[in-house]
Structures are given as C-alpha cells and as structure tokens.
Amino acid sequence: MESEQPHVEDQISLSKYSKRVILETILGRPDGGVGLIGRRIVVGGWVKSSREFRKEPAVQAPEALGPKDVLVDSALASPSHVMPTGTCILAEGILQKPSLQDKEIIELKAEKILHVGLVDQDRYPLSKKRLPLELLRDSTHFRPRTTTVASVMRIRNALTQATNTFFQENRFLYVQVPIITTTDSQGSSEIFQVTTLLAKQKADDQSGTDDFEGIKLEIIKATIKEKSKQIEQLKRSDSNKEAVAAAIQDLKKTTELASQLEAKQKQKSGKHSIQTDKINFSEDFFSCKTYLTVSGRLHLESYASALGNVYSFGPRFHANKFDSKKYLAEMWMVELEMAFSELEDSMECAIDFLKFICKWILENCTEDLKFVSKRVDKLVVDRLQLIVTGPFEKISYTEAVETLKQVTERKFETKVEWGVSLNEEHESYLTDEVYRKPLIIYNHPKELKPFNIRLNDDGKTAAAFDVIVPKVGALIRGSQSEERINMLSTRIKELGLEKKQYEWYLDLRKHGSVRCCGFSFLFDPLVLYATGLNDVRDAVPFPRSFGKANN
C-alpha cells in the first residue's frame, strides 16, 4: 500500500463501474505512461496477438487505439488459455519497462489473472492477420474487436456527440419523432408497411408459404452474389488461405440451400403473392395502415410551430431493393425544423453544422484520424479541413444542368437535361472536377421533390437545396415548407396522395401557420467521409440492406 497520495499528474482514471483502469488515461499521457512505471493497476481487454518467450506469454489486449502488452507468467495461466486471439483477460499487475525492445513504451507485468474468457479457436472468425472489411460483414458482432472498426466506431461516436452539442448550443430542442407512422412523408412507394395480420392471412391462404419461401430465396440469391464478390476480393488481397477457404465453404453451403429451395418451389403449383388489398387493416394492431418512417420532418414541423427550433436524431427506413455503397434500408438521420425561417437561413445552418462537426472530429479524434489516414485513406484530414476552412459554392439547379451539358470530355450514363434528377455521377463531377469544393444546389424542379416543399414564384421549381461534398455526394437535403394551404392541397391532389393521411398536417396551416425551413442530414455517409471508407455497411454497427439483416 502506498503511503502517500500520487501527484495529480500521476493519477490515473478508473472505470466508474468496473474498478479497472481506463487505458486511454495511461496511453494518452504526454510520456505514454512512463511516469506511471511501478504503479499497480487492473486492466481488461481482448487478445489481439500473442507471443511466447522465456515461458512467459505476452499478449496484446486492445481496449483503445494501439496495442497494450500484458506479460503473463505461465504459472498464472496456461498459455493455451490466454494466448488465442479473441480471449478476454482481466489482469492485475505492475506497470514496467518493456521486456523486449519493440514499439511499446510500457507493459503490464501480471501478478493476478482475475478473469479469462476462453475462445473456440475453430469457430472464432478473427485471426492475427488483417481480414478485409467485406469478409467481416458476416461477423458484425465480432468486428468491433478489430482495430479498424474500433477506430471507425469512436469517430462515429464523436460525430454523434458533436451533432447534439451543435444543436444544444444553438438552442434547438430535441424532439423524439415516431418510428411507426400513418403518414408517408415523402409520397414514396418504397416504404416498409407495419402489420400484425400476415399470420392471419397465411392461415386463410395456405399458399402464403410459397410467398415466404420466394422471398427467402430472393434474399439468399442476393447473399450468394455478395459472397462471390468477397471471395474475389480475398483472392486479390493478401488474405491468408484459411480465410479464403472458409469463405468458399460458406458460399458452397449457401448455394446448396438456394438449390434446395428452388427445387422445393418447382414441386409446388401456382405462384401467389401477399395481397395487401385483401387485408382488413381495421382489424390490425393500430386499426389502420402504418409504416416505418422515411422522414420525421412533418412531425418536427408541428413542434417547430410551437417551440421554434427543433431537431431529431434517429433511424429512417427505405425499402429500396438496389445494391448501394451509400444507402441502407435503415439509415440514421439528423433532421431539423426552424420556425420563422426561409431557405437561405436553412442553407446557412447546414454550412455552420457541417463546419462544426468536422472541426470537432479534427480536434477530438486525433489518434483515430492518424490511424485511418494510414490504414484506409491518407486524404481524410485534408477532406475534413476542406469543409472547416473552405467556402461553399452555391448554384441553382438550372446552372448545374447548364454546366453539365457543356461537358464534352466525359459521357454520363444518364443524359443531362432540365427536369432530370441529378444522380451521383453528376454530383461527383460537379464537386470533384468543376468546383473542387462543397457545393449547394438549390431551386430544384418541383416534380423531383416531396409534396410539402414551397413552390417558387416561377411555378416550376421548389424551394429546396442539396449539400454535395467530394467523395460521398449529397449529405444534406433541405427545403422550405409550403405554408399556403391552397397550394399544399393542390400538390397533394396533383401527386395522387391520400388527403386523409395529411389532414393533421393541413391543420397546421389552418391554425397559426408559420414559415418553416429545415433539412435532413445523412449521418452514415458522413462517417464514410470522415474515415475514408467506401461502403456504408462498414461504417454502421449492424447494417440492414436488401437481403441482409444479420443479428
């Protein structure tokens, strides 16, 4: 027991709820922890790699960025128990200078092993060698133990903290909007419907079994396609032979399952589909049609019409059946509405918001940014600086179309003409080749935007804008809401929407109407921007995409 209290600079932080040392408080010190040599501490983590010398295994149990050596005498624990990758260890010991000359500044000489969580080495998917991120998508519950995914998640956490800090500091009120809603806020057909009546329909129509098998087969075929791509990438990379063999065996089993289902379907006569028009939704849980929300901005507007500036942060859902590296079926979005504001106000808020959160990452994720710059993309910091220090170019949709029509050195897959939705190839060309900076495109054709966006005086365009950045394209889509009830009712009728769905929204125009502006911010693609990753499935803890919903 020490007779004196340690100096302030020698103090270390314990995890409040587990009595172990938070490793960042040691490794994050200017001296790397050298001033703490001789101190007794308790640390915990999972083995990343191990080696054996002088009959004492040394394991690296990472909890934060960078390896941490723990020297374990074989008398304390069997090497076969503590050395396998993935083993969980809680150890008490003394900090000392490293036993071997390597990159480490300090190590822990274990005196007690308080816990060992064993690993089934034949089934554990991770190894000492680095595995491609594509292969790790089938092990979403284990991949945060890899250094790359751990760094990405810390950056994602910092972006979340920065988001809430920005809005709280600017006096926005946080409002929880519903995930289950009766309103299709964007007038989209690609939405998830919520019902508890499918089991009843299945009992009434035994052919429903064919439907579910057909859906399952479609999902399995999509999985086969993805696994085949992963194998090709593994073969081109430096992955170990065991990883390639395991992936091939997994593909073989999946292919066999698909063949069995196809054969089973051929034996059954007739094809049937789930008929939602035959379902009596008055008997459903909510007594009406309900959906997973694609946007919370309509609901936020009702609170902005009473409280001023409001925002929400949560999952939004789109039932698109295409393969995308940027979009998922479940996407996390930040949405806001501001009362007494117009389109220009919303644009300025969007610029300030992006600058704030990018600066936050640069100031608070230094070590993780160094790692992803080295491991993933060396231009990560430069791109963040581009947003923090650089100006945003603003052009109208019409100007964007005219600029693209003048391009002769490149042929776009989608022909550029007024009225066409600008897609990723158009947006990336404008930001990467023409302006080389973040870009705001405003006043889009009304046909391309939801029903509730304010119609401009020209009668052709709507008061909407998109914020486009290099690498990932559109990050923010904003607009000014239509406050004129006659114009709003006309748009609902033009688009063939069910007016009954929107009666509550129209009520906001009948009683104390106010001009509102806001935007939807795609959180997951910003993680790609801040980490250099190319596929959003690697930037989300548990991604949900067409044909894929692990865990």
Side-chain angles (χ1 to χ4, degrees), residues 527-539:
V527 180
L528 297 183
Y529 186 86
T531 60
L533 296 175
N534 293 314
D535 197 309
V536 71
R537 288 171 292 184
D538 303 321

Side-chain angles (χ1 to χ4, degrees), residues 79-102:
S80 63
H81 287 172
V82 297
M83 292 183 68
T85 300
T87 301
C88 180
I89 296 177
L90 184 67
E92 179 181 338
I94 304 295
L95 291 173
Q96 64 179 27
K97 293 181 179 180
S99 304
L100 295 179
Q101 294 298 323
D102 54 18

Side-chain angles (χ1 to χ4, degrees), residues 126-167:
L126 305 183
S127 65
K128 293 181 182 180
K129 292 186 177 181
R130 182 171 39 159
L131 295 175
L133 291 173
E134 295 85 353
L135 190 62
L136 293 173
R137 291 173 195 159
D138 289 329
S139 302
T140 53
H141 52 309
F142 283 128
R143 65 179 183 174
R145 297 185 185 183
T146 64
T147 309
T148 299
V149 175
S151 284
V152 171
M153 289 304 114
R154 281 189 291 272
I155 291 173
R156 186 182 179 96
N157 172 71
L159 287 169
T160 301
Q161 185 179 2
T163 295
N164 286 300
T165 300
F166 174 83
F167 289 113

Side-chain angles (χ1 to χ4, degrees), residues 210 213 259-270:
D210 297 333
E213 289 178 355
S259 299
Q260 291 172 6
L261 283 174
E262 283 182 320
K264 190 175 181 180
Q265 283 189 349
K266 288 179 181 179
Q267 294 174 357
K268 297 184 177 182
S269 59

Side-chain angles (χ1 to χ4, degrees), residues 34 90 102 125 129 133 150 201 211 245 259 261 307 314 318 321 328 338 347 390 404 418 503 544:
V34 172
L90 184 67
D102 54 18
K129 292 186 177 181
L133 291 173
Q201 186 189 35
D211 291 316
S259 299
L261 283 174
L307 301 172
H318 292 266
K321 294 184 178 181
L328 294 171
M338 301 179 292
M347 290 185 196
L404 290 168
W418 204 95
E503 287 293 351
R544 274 80 176 97

Side-chain angles (χ1 to χ4, degrees), residues 177-181 184-186 188-194 291-296 314-320 328-333 335 544:
V177 297
I179 288 179
I180 298 176
T181 176
D184 179 4
S185 60
Q186 294 184 349
S188 169
S189 61
E190 301 300 328
I191 55 178
F192 288 101
Q193 193 157 350
V194 178
Y291 316 93
L292 294 182
T293 183
V294 296
S295 172
R316 306 293 181 257
F317 304 87
H318 292 266
N320 297 313
L328 294 171
E330 180 184 72
M331 296 282 289
W332 278 76
M333 296 178 68
E335 296 179 301
R544 274 80 176 97

Side-chain angles (χ1 to χ4, degrees), residues 221-380:
K221 285 183 175 180
T223 303
I224 289 174
K225 185 177 179 181
E226 183 179 336
K227 290 180 182 295
S228 298
K229 290 180 180 178
Q230 290 177 2
I231 290 173
E232 292 303 315
Q233 291 170 341
L234 283 172
K235 289 179 177 179
R236 290 194 296 268
S237 68
D238 296 329
S239 299
N240 54 342
K241 294 181 180 180
E242 292 83 357
V244 176
I248 292 174
Q249 184 64 24
D250 188 31
L251 175 62
K252 183 179 178 181
K253 290 180 180 179
T254 308
T255 305
E256 289 175 354
L257 179 59
S259 299
Q260 291 172 6
L261 283 174
E262 283 182 320
K264 190 175 181 180
Q265 283 189 349
K266 288 179 181 179
Q267 294 174 357
K268 297 184 177 182
S269 59
K271 294 184 178 179
H272 306 275
S273 60
I274 299 172
Q275 301 290 331
T276 57
D277 57 340
K278 292 182 180 180
I279 297 177
N280 182 4
F281 285 99
S282 65
E283 299 177 359
D284 208 346
F285 188 90
F286 295 105
S287 301
C288 60
K289 289 184 179 181
T290 53
Y291 316 93
L292 294 182
T293 183
V294 296
S295 172
R297 285 189 59 192
L298 297 189
H299 292 90
L300 279 176
E301 197 173 324
S302 67
Y303 272 72
S305 297
L307 301 172
N309 295 349
V310 294
Y311 79 104
S312 187
F313 188 5
R316 306 293 181 257
F317 304 87
H318 292 266
N320 297 313
K321 294 184 178 181
F322 55 78
D323 187 23
S324 172
K325 291 186 176 183
K326 181 180 174 183
Y327 299 108
L328 294 171
E330 180 184 72
M331 296 282 289
W332 278 76
M333 296 178 68
V334 178
E335 296 179 301
L336 64 92
E337 286 292 333
M338 301 179 292
F340 307 102
S341 297
E342 299 189 3
L343 193 66
E344 189 66 30
D345 300 313
S346 190
M347 290 185 196
E348 290 306 310
C349 180
I351 293 172
D352 290 346
F353 171 63
L354 285 178
K355 285 180 176 291
F356 180 90
I357 58 178
C358 287
K359 183 180 179 182
W360 183 285
I361 294 300
L362 287 169
E363 293 177 349
N364 295 280
C365 297
T366 307
E367 293 303 316
D368 285 305
L369 287 177
K370 285 181 181 178
F371 174 78
V372 295
S373 295
K374 180 180 179 181
R375 177 70 63 88
V376 183
D377 185 347
K378 63 182 180 180
L379 298 177
V380 162

Side-chain angles (χ1 to χ4, degrees), residues 459-507:
K460 297 167 52 180
T461 61
F465 71 93
D466 297 338
V467 180
I468 319 295
V469 300
K471 182 176 172 63
V472 296
L475 276 182
I476 290 177
R477 300 194 187 279
S479 61
Q480 180 176 337
S481 298
E482 181 59 80
E483 82 282 3
R484 299 164 293 185
I485 189 169
N486 60 324
M487 302 294 286
L488 192 58
S489 298
T490 300
R491 287 290 288 151
I492 290 174
K493 185 177 181 180
E494 285 178 355
L495 295 173
L497 302 177
E498 188 178 343
K499 188 175 181 180
K500 184 179 178 181
Q501 269 193 38
Y502 306 98
E503 287 293 351
W504 69 270
Y505 186 67
L506 291 170
D507 280 347

